[in-house]
Amino acid sequence: MIGIGTFRAHAISDSQERLIEADEPLAGLQRQCGGELPGTIAIPALLELVRKCRSFGLKTSQAIEALDGENRISAWVEVTPRDGAQGCEIAVTSWKSQPVKLENLTGYAERK
């Protein structure tokens, strides 16, 4: 397990909210959520945070959660707008992965 505040991944998004570059484990989560690299951000909470950052033009940070099919991922993400609204710099810290119980996955699949 990685300690709080430990840097885990760097990524870059473009002006059309596509993830054009990403380190592991973020790149793997992007693929597990049905996305590609490069490709539209497939991690719903990250996409929302990037949109918020671009909308306000300000650095934004918050905890996000996602499911990769077997694990619940939680991480602290900082998103910084790049010059001229050309996308965002994304820094992921405090990555935490916990197995999801089978009954929770069934409910998640039904809701999805």
Side-chain angles (χ1 to χ4, degrees):
M1 183 179 300
I2 301 301
I4 302 287
T6 303
F7 179 77
R8 288 291 294 169
H10 175 263
I12 298 174
S13 69
D14 67 9
S15 61
Q16 296 177 350
E17 296 162 351
R18 293 180 299 215
L19 206 54
I20 56 173
E21 186 180 303
D23 298 335
E24 291 297 340
L26 187 60
L29 182 58
Q30 167 76 359
R31 290 184 193 97
Q32 291 164 333
C33 287
E36 298 176 356
L37 268 173
T40 301
I41 299 171
I43 307 159
L46 180 60
L47 178 58
E48 181 181 334
L49 191 58
V50 167
R51 284 180 173 160
K52 187 185 300 185
C53 174
R54 290 191 62 242
S55 173
F56 295 117
L58 299 171
K59 181 176 181 176
T60 307
S61 59
Q62 71 180 44
I64 66 165
E65 288 192 359
L67 292 173
D68 70 3
E70 297 176 4
N71 299 295
R72 177 178 310 280
I73 308 297
S74 58
W76 185 260
V77 180
E78 295 180 357
V79 182
T80 306
R82 296 175 80 192
D83 292 334
Q86 295 300 311
C88 299
E89 298 279 339
I90 301 165
V92 180
T93 60
S94 304
W95 186 276
K96 185 176 175 186
S97 176
Q98 294 180 323
V100 177
K101 295 179 185 174
L102 182 58
E103 56 270 13
N104 290 348
L105 285 177
T106 303
Y108 172 74
E110 289 172 357
R111 287 190 304 272
K112 197 169 184 182

